[in-house]
Amino acid sequence: MAAQVWPLLVFLGLLLAAALAWFARSGDRVPAEMAWGVFEAAVLGLVASFALHESAHVVALRRVRTVTRIALERTAWRTSVVPEGTMTARQTAGVALAGPLSCVAVGALLWLPDLDRSLAWWYLAHAAFLLPFFGDGRALRHGLRTARGRRPAGEARG
């Protein structure tokens, strides 16, 4: 994940370093606080939450003996894991749930004791990936429908 977003991380690191240098020279804390807020949101919120999300998929996939290989697919806007092999409908649904729910669990841990509500939202927002227009949501829907013996619309029986 960090390999994909390294330009952002370098930029934010330089921004934070410049703001800290300004603080050391002038005593003005505001730029450093602002830079830290952006750095925290990008690194701890965005990058770490997606690393956890995808890692949870990998952990779940490694438990499926019929998955023979797990590839990493990266595009300009997303990183995801792609399994090779076969899975049952229940396994498909479980793997789809693993990524978002791991983030929701961390978000709840950050929210409940009021550790960091703004950071908690980055993790809680992963629940949205269970909606059917995201890959996890489509996989979950397919797994649940197939497990109940129903095929999604447009799929051939056979």
Side-chain angles (χ1 to χ4, degrees), residues 18-73:
L20 289 172
W22 176 258
F23 171 63
R25 186 164 194 271
S26 70
D28 183 1
R29 305 170 58 115
V30 174
E33 290 170 355
M34 290 174 63
W36 174 251
V38 172
F39 186 82
E40 178 185 32
V43 175
L44 298 178
L46 182 66
V47 175
S49 69
F50 276 100
L52 173 63
H53 181 124
E54 296 305 325
S55 295
H57 285 312
V58 170
V59 168
L61 285 167
R62 289 190 184 272
R63 296 181 55 103
V64 180
R65 290 192 174 123
T66 54
V67 171
T68 57
R69 183 172 178 268
I70 303 169
L72 184 66
E73 182 179 276

Side-chain angles (χ1 to χ4, degrees), residues 94-120:
V95 169
L97 285 168
L101 291 185
S102 65
C103 288
V104 168
V106 169
L109 290 173
L110 290 167
W111 182 278
L112 292 176
D114 202 17
L115 289 176
D116 190 336
R117 290 268 172 107
S118 62
L119 187 57

